[in-house]
Amino acid sequence: MKKIILLAALGLTYGMAQAQISPDAKTVLDATAAHFTQNGGVKATFKADNFVKGKMQGSAEGTMLIQGEKFQMTTPDMITWYDGQTQWSYVKANEEVNVSTPTPKEQQSMNPYAVVNLYKEGYGYQLKETTLRGKADYEVTLTAKDKKKEPHTIIINIDRSSYEPMCIRIQQRDKGQWTRISVQHFQAGQTFSASDFKFNPKDYPKAEVIDLR
């Protein structure tokens, strides 16, 4: 009888231990990526900082509307629209709109959805539990399997309770070059229209359009 009780106790302990095991990195990244495509889109405020050899070279704050690959980004100096194929960048100071077809690398430098999804494309990943801004989070480090691949390393901090991205750090092959995107407010389940991701010339009648395609 004692043996049966002992085995039952061990089984219960094992079951509790299994329940406390952290999810693997892929599970966490899958859940985070799903925020950008399920139940509408995402509205987020952010602060982006660029570093070279430890020194900040530039900083910008703004708002993004994101729906999968599509996005609209607004900062004090610029508004950028991307509809999944064409990108329009309106520079407020000189009222110019540059029209382009961005490369995957250029998309990754602007759209968190593109960065988060890189784990599906030739990266190894590791997960550890940390704390950021007073919140428990998962810190996932993505490392390119091909040493020539850009970006080389990506570190994503993800809220443990909501699986929302909190911070994304991107390192190029030159280890002195870093970009840090701090996500300050993240709202999933937003409703957007196709026009939110396209430049409307009627809204900017004085803008000079420069086609770089």
Side-chain angles (χ1 to χ4, degrees), residues 92-197:
K92 297 178 181 179
N94 55 15
E95 294 191 300
E96 285 185 358
V97 180
N98 293 315
V99 186
S100 63
T101 302
T103 64
K105 182 179 178 180
E106 290 170 336
Q107 292 178 48
Q108 292 157 13
S109 70
M110 303 187 74
N111 188 352
Y113 170 77
V115 176
V116 168
N117 275 275
L118 279 175
Y119 73 97
K120 302 173 183 176
E121 303 175 8
Y123 284 82
Y125 31 82
Q126 294 180 329
L127 177 146
K128 65 179 180 179
E129 296 182 359
T130 62
T131 301
L132 180 66
R133 302 198 291 265
K135 290 186 177 182
D137 74 298
Y138 296 116
E139 183 176 283
V140 182
T141 300
L142 307 179
T143 305
K145 296 176 181 178
D146 181 350
K147 293 183 179 180
K148 296 181 179 181
K149 190 177 181 67
E150 296 281 18
H152 177 268
T153 303
I154 303 163
I155 301 173
I156 307 174
N157 293 86
I158 299 165
D159 189 307
R160 274 191 236 170
S161 60
S162 65
Y163 290 93
E164 295 175 356
M166 299 174 66
C167 183
I168 301 172
R169 285 167 283 173
I170 305 168
Q171 177 189 323
Q172 304 300 331
R173 275 182 293 169
D174 181 346
K175 294 184 180 180
Q177 296 184 13
W178 278 91
T179 298
R180 179 180 64 202
I181 304 170
S182 299
V183 181
Q184 299 166 334
H185 190 53
F186 188 96
Q187 295 175 286
Q190 303 295 299
T191 302
F192 304 125
S193 65
S195 61
D196 289 320
F197 306 107

Side-chain angles (χ1 to χ4, degrees), residues 36-49:
F36 293 94
T37 55
Q38 293 180 353
N39 303 319
V42 166
K43 182 177 181 180
T45 57
F46 69 91
K47 182 174 185 290
D49 303 307

